[in-house]
Structures are given as C-alpha cells and as structure tokens.
Amino acid sequence: MDGAKKMGIRNVSSICSLTQLDDHDLSRLLEKPRLTTNIERQRSFDERSLSELPTLLVRGSYDHFDTLHSPAVRSGIDTPASWDGNSFDPHPIVAEAWEALRRSLVYFRGQPVGTVAAYDHASEEVLNYDQVFVRDFVPSALAFLMNGEPEVVKNFLMKTLQLQGWEKKIDRFKLGEGVMPASFKVLHDPVRKLDMIVADFGESAIGRVAPVDSGFWWIILLRAYTKSTGDLSLAERPECQKGIKLILMLCLAEGFDTFPTLLCADGCSMIDRRMDVYGYPIEIQALFYMALRCALMMLKHDGEGKDCIERIEKRLHALSYHMRSYFWLDFQQLNDIYRYKTEEYSHTAVNKFNVIPDSIPDWIFDFMPMRGGYFIGNVSPARMDFRWFCLGNCVAILSSLATPEQSMAIMDLIEARWDELVGEMPLKIAYPAIESHEWRIVTGCDPKNTRWSYHNGGSWPVLLWLLTAACIKTGRPQIARQAIDLAETRLLKDGWPEYYDGKLGRFIGKQARKYQTWSIAGYLVAKMMLEDPSHLGMISLEDDKQRKTLIKRSSSWNC
C-alpha cells in the first residue's frame, strides 16, 4: 500500500485561472444555449447577469458568486443535451448516478421528502442506513436544485421543520427546542394505508449524541433553495423564521464561554464517533459561521428578528477574528508556535492558550509546506489539534470565514500534499490517521475507526462536491477536475462505496456500504458545478468587507 504509485499534480500551475484553461473553455461553455425552466425567479436574486460570469472567474475575483442566480438547467439522465461536448463530455457513469439517486428517494404520503443514506440490498444489516439523514441529504438536495427539481428539497425543509417542534427526550432529559433531528424514517402501513415518521434526535445514535450540525445544514440548505429558485416566500414563512431563531438560540446564548466558538461533544457531526474532536472542532465552527451568515440574509428585520440579527452580527465579528487568528496555521505560524514561551500571565501574552511546544506532533514539520496553510482541527486551553479536516476547511472557503489569502493558501496546501490528502481516491476526511497506543486511548479501541479507515484517515467520495466548490471559488478548477477524474475510474465499478481505506484510499472500506447516496450525489454536484460554475452561488458567500479582519500576512502567502 505504501509503495503504491504516486498520483501527484505537480505539473499544474498554482496561478492558473479558470479562464486560462485550454481543456475547460468556460467562456464558451457559458455562452451555450440554456434550457428554459418553469421556475419563476424574483428579480432581487438576479443582481448580476450570467454574462458577467467569465470575468468573475479569474483568480482573485471569486467572491461575487453570492449575487448570482444558479440557473436550474436540467442535467444528467433527463437532459443529456445539457452537456457541452466541446467542454465537458458526459461520462458514462453520469446516467447511472442519476438513476441510483432517484432510486434512493423516500416518499411520505406520495410526496418525495428526502433520500435514504444507502440503497445497499447486499447488506444484511440495515441499521439506520435506510433513514433520511439531514447532513447526508444536502448533496442530494443540491443535485436536485441544480437539475431544476426543487420540490423534494422544499418538502424536506418543511418536514424537518415540523420534526423540530417535537418534544425531544433522551432518558429523562429534555433537549433544546431548536434541535433538529439527525435523521428520520418513513414507515408505511400497507394495511391501514398510512405513512408515519419516526425521528432520531440522538437518542438512538451511537454514543447518544445530538447532531449539532443538522440545524446549521438546514439553514444553509434553506438559503441554497432560496438562491436557486428565487422563491423568497418559503424562508419568509413564520414557521421558517421561528425555526431559524430556535436553532440560533441554542448557539447564541451567553454562558461561561470565553471564546466565540461553540463547545461540542465528540460525535456531533459527520465524524459521529469518538475521534478526539470534542471541544471546538473546525467543522462545527465553519458550519456555525456559514449558518449565521445565511440566517442574517433570511431573517426579517421585525421585533424578534432585529434582536437576533444584532446578536448574529456581534458573534460573526468575534468568531471570524478568533478563527482567523488562532485556528490558522502556515509555516510562519508553526515556527512561531515552535518557539512559544509558556506560563505567560497577562493580557499581553503571546501564547494565549498556553500551548506547550513539545506537544507539537512530529509529522506536522514535514507535512507543512513553505507555501500553503489551513485551519487546524481544534484549539482550546493547552491543546492544539494539528490534524487536517477537509470539510471544515472547504466550508471555511465557501463561507468566506477564510480570507481570500487564506483560501488560496488552503488550495496551495492541497496541491503540495496531493498524495497525502487525495491519493488514489478523493478525499481524506482527516489527516493523518491516529495509530497504535494513541488510537487505543483516543477511540477506545474502536474497530471501525482503525488507522486509515472510516473517520480515522479514510477517503470519502462525498467530499468531492465541497472540494469542487472550493476550487471554483478560488479559481482553481483544475484541482477538482483531477480529483473527479480519479473518482470516475472506480466509483461505479465499486458500487458507489461510502468510503475507502488505506493511506492512498486504494481499498473499498472494510465496513463501507455500497450505493451510498451522498457518494452518488456528491459526484453529480461536482460534475454539474464544473459544467456550470454559476451553481456555486447556491453554496458560496461573498467576503464581507465590513467584517474583514486585518491579519499580518505570513511568508507562505508571499512565496
């Protein structure tokens, strides 16, 4: 496994812009005839015309996608003509992917309300893979929105909003009113011809942990639906306004915290097992930041809404400063931490978290390139988790939590460490893996999270859509193209696995489910965004110039 052939992309220029690519003539692509749709769009969501898009795709001018419509051009199995043969030849697996995605749809009283986590008939143990997970449905929802099919997304948003109103108890303890479910299942009674829904708020999950990320993904998806369709009425409904506020009330309440970041338990997000991500994990902080910004755009400026908006703005200002200052790591910052003094006592302390330099892991010194950087996994008193987490860094780019310079540095790191972070199957959820004695202590000897497997350094195809979105926003689509090409060689042949194992992601995961829906949907979303980059507007936010934090530029940004 370690001696496998290296799959590098060293020959790709890091300063190549989207408009300079010979193999992806996007200017020609964007001029192609578009299919009409029956979705009525409101003018307020069309602040920039699509004719402006080619000039916005030049590297360094990527922060205008937020003001663009995402045209619902139908793609894939239904309209093969939407693929431009001159720029993006349809891959043979696209039609298969759409067929598999539609097969995963779940219906409640005749209406589609989501997609199951996996459609694996070969597996004897169903567990909860036959349920609709909030986080898992996001790439499915984006695929349907990009294909001009918003109905299932609207139904999902309203159904999960209804579930939010349920009383939620684990043993004798009642959860907060704003908690969104991790998943739900539709039960069909053929005798009485009734459909019932059973929701899981964490009381059935492994470890009994409530999903912190579900509420954030719901807000982000509501904004994506609004941007895609131009339908303002859904977000403006009283029940949706209340749902947003209830979610944020859980996060904006004042307490003992001295940091603007959210304190979380292990297993409260995509990494839903014990993996030493308790505290202030980057995934939750990035999603929190993006959800706050999305809510800011959708909340009404009425009595309650105005108060909530003021609290959001204050939190965003503090959160962006904290994350950009203390979670960011590049070569210069690593060198500074290496030279930290300890036991500093005063408000002028440089080592504010009293991190002991001897706690820096050996691997980071070889991993960190001279050019590049990323948001580390966690920062808390006397503790820095230096691991790379893909989802948190990609969402940081899309939400503009990362500054433009930091966004470019993250992409530089991916290019420089392609073998480690991408390998033969995109994309490492975390790097590096926890091994040996540390694995026994950290995971509790978890047989699923062994080294280079599952959440412990496994490779997850679903992350393709996040990587692609980040690449397009930073003007580096060639990175996404290379990753998608790798995935296409195996995904269909392997049966759309949930994840892959090994340092290079060469082996199908030992407990991976086949026909994992978000592996399928993630691939389709990545393909459609490369076909039509304006789709990025659904999931990308502009840099807020008023909130821009002044940070000293490090040497890695100037190399």
Side-chain angles (χ1 to χ4, degrees):
M1 180 164 51
D2 294 339
K5 180 181 178 181
K6 300 291 184 181
M7 300 292 290
I9 57 170
R10 304 293 191 270
N11 59 327
V12 178
S13 172
S14 63
I15 61 171
C16 182
S17 71
L18 204 59
T19 53
Q20 295 172 325
L21 300 179
D22 295 331
D23 56 333
H24 299 154
D25 189 354
L26 289 175
S27 61
R28 187 168 30 173
L29 169 67
L30 293 167
E31 293 171 0
K32 69 181 183 182
R34 299 191 180 279
L35 300 178
T36 59
T37 68
N38 59 356
I39 297 177
E40 183 178 348
R41 307 180 185 280
Q42 298 197 19
R43 186 63 191 166
S44 62
F45 275 73
D46 195 16
E47 301 168 22
R48 293 177 184 270
S49 67
L50 287 175
S51 62
E52 295 178 74
L53 187 58
T55 62
L56 299 179
L57 291 178
V58 179
R59 181 179 174 180
S61 303
Y62 56 81
D63 58 345
H64 301 285
F65 285 99
D66 181 42
T67 57
L68 289 169
H69 263 312
S70 177
V73 178
R74 299 178 66 87
S75 304
I77 191 171
D78 291 332
T79 55
S82 69
W83 294 87
D84 187 336
N86 293 327
S87 300
F88 290 88
D89 292 328
H91 196 279
I93 73 173
V94 169
E96 297 277 358
W98 273 111
E99 183 179 341
L101 181 59
R102 297 191 190 286
R103 200 163 53 233
S104 71
L105 281 167
V106 173
Y107 292 84
F108 178 75
R109 296 175 183 172
Q111 297 295 319
V113 292
T115 52
V116 294
Y119 195 80
D120 187 358
H121 289 302
S123 177
E124 295 180 0
E125 286 187 297
V126 176
L127 296 178
N128 56 359
Y129 283 83
D130 61 346
Q131 298 184 21
V132 180
F133 280 80
V134 173
R135 76 175 67 96
D136 291 40
F137 180 67
V138 171
S140 296
L142 295 176
F144 286 119
L145 287 174
M146 292 177 186
N147 204 44
E149 302 176 63
E151 180 188 8
V152 61
V153 182
K154 184 176 182 179
N155 294 341
F156 169 85
L157 289 167
M158 295 308 298
K159 185 55 61 182
T160 48
L161 186 62
Q162 292 174 11
L163 297 177
Q164 184 195 41
W166 288 13
E167 184 179 73
K168 303 170 274 284
K169 280 188 176 182
I170 297 181
D171 293 332
R172 299 182 181 182
F173 185 74
K174 185 178 179 180
L175 276 68
E177 188 179 0
V179 174
M180 280 286 186
S183 63
F184 65 87
K185 182 176 181 178
V186 178
L187 302 176
H188 303 284
D189 187 338
V191 178
R192 293 186 295 172
K193 296 182 179 179
L194 293 175
D195 287 350
M196 295 175 53
I197 283 185
V198 178
D200 177 16
F201 293 90
E203 69 271 26
S204 300
I206 296 173
R208 302 300 187 265
V209 179
V212 176
D213 64 337
S214 286
F216 299 153
W217 279 123
W218 186 87
I219 293 174
I220 293 166
L221 185 56
L222 177 60
R223 186 259 179 190
Y225 171 86
T226 304
K227 287 291 293 185
S228 174
T229 64
D231 177 13
L232 295 171
S233 62
L234 182 63
E236 291 178 347
R237 289 186 184 182
E239 57 266 41
C240 284
Q241 291 286 305
K242 180 182 178 182
I244 295 171
K245 293 169 191 172
L246 286 175
I247 293 169
L248 297 183
M249 283 172 61
L250 296 172
C251 310
L252 298 176
E254 296 176 350
F256 292 101
D257 293 318
T258 55
F259 312 132
T261 42
L262 279 184
L263 181 62
C264 304
D266 244 336
C268 67
S269 57
M270 180 179 176
I271 298 179
D272 58 2
R273 301 166 78 92
R274 184 174 158 191
M275 270 294 293
D276 200 29
V277 293
Y278 66 89
Y280 306 93
I282 178 60
E283 175 177 338
I284 291 298
Q285 312 315 319
L287 287 172
F288 180 35
Y289 183 85
M290 188 164 192
L292 286 175
R293 292 201 61 197
C294 289
L296 199 60
M297 299 172 184
M298 296 185 290
L299 283 173
K300 292 182 178 179
H301 289 253
D302 53 19
E304 286 187 19
K306 188 175 181 181
D307 178 65
C308 192
I309 287 170
E310 290 177 357
R311 296 174 70 183
I312 290 173
E313 288 177 337
K314 290 179 181 178
R315 190 62 167 267
L316 281 171
H317 184 76
L319 184 60
S320 61
Y321 176 83
H322 184 90
M323 297 298 297
R324 294 169 183 174
S325 300
Y326 304 125
F327 273 67
W328 181 254
L329 186 73
D330 55 22
F331 184 85
Q332 183 60 55
Q333 181 66 10
L334 177 61
N335 205 161
D336 291 343
I337 297 171
Y338 177 71
R339 291 167 50 83
Y340 268 169
K341 296 179 181 179
T342 59
E343 311 301 326
E344 295 178 295
Y345 181 83
S346 80
H347 65 277
T348 60
V350 176
N351 185 2
K352 294 185 178 181
F353 297 93
N354 197 35
V355 175
I356 311 301
D358 286 346
S359 69
I360 302 174
D362 292 338
W363 64 266
I364 189 64
F365 294 104
D366 293 327
F367 178 75
M368 178 60 69
M370 292 294 293
R371 175 188 176 119
Y374 66 103
F375 289 99
I376 62 175
N378 219 312
V379 176
S380 57
R383 176 185 178 229
M384 297 184 81
D385 183 351
F386 289 91
R387 284 177 294 173
W388 153 271
F389 291 91
C390 178
L391 192 151
N393 276 274
C394 287
V395 172
I397 292 175
L398 296 176
S399 65
S400 290
L401 172 59
T403 65
E405 295 88 355
Q406 288 173 336
S407 297
M408 293 301 178
I410 292 171
M411 302 312 298
D412 288 340
L413 177 84
I414 294 174
E415 279 192 315
R417 296 294 176 257
W418 181 265
D419 295 333
E420 292 86 352
L421 303 180
V422 181
E424 295 186 18
M425 175 55 67
L427 198 63
K428 288 294 178 194
I429 186 174
Y431 181 89
I434 300 172
E435 305 183 58
S436 305
H437 182 62
E438 185 183 11
W439 167 78
R440 286 190 287 272
I441 294 174
V442 168
T443 72
C445 299
D446 188 349
K448 196 166 186 176
N449 270 332
T450 54
R451 64 174 185 171
W452 306 113
S453 181
Y454 202 51
H455 295 143
N456 189 13
S459 299
W460 291 70
V462 63
L463 297 172
L464 268 175
W465 80 265
L466 283 161
L467 175 67
T468 300
C471 288
I472 294 173
K473 184 172 182 180
T474 54
R476 312 276 276 274
Q478 71 278 7
I479 299 177
R481 177 75 269 164
Q482 192 112 349
I484 292 173
D485 288 345
L486 279 174
E488 285 177 335
T489 62
R490 293 193 57 183
L491 280 179
L492 178 61
K493 180 178 65 176
D494 293 342
W496 303 99
E498 180 182 11
Y499 63 94
Y500 286 78
D501 285 355
K503 276 190 174 181
L504 296 175
R506 178 179 293 179
F507 302 97
I508 298 174
K510 58 185 175 182
Q511 295 188 42
R513 296 302 171 111
K514 297 292 186 72
Y515 292 94
Q516 187 79 11
T517 304
W518 69 356
S519 295
I520 298 165
Y523 165 75
L524 287 172
V525 171
K527 292 286 284 189
M528 284 190 282
M529 278 194 290
L530 276 183
E531 179 200 21
D532 184 355
S534 69
H535 286 315
L536 182 67
M538 288 186 205
I539 203 69
S540 176
L541 303 176
E542 282 189 53
D543 182 30
D544 191 334
K545 302 299 191 298
Q546 293 180 340
R547 198 176 295 112
K548 191 169 184 180
T549 308
L550 294 176
I551 301 177
K552 184 179 179 180
R553 292 170 62 92
S554 69
S555 60
S556 70
W557 296 343
N558 296 319
C559 291

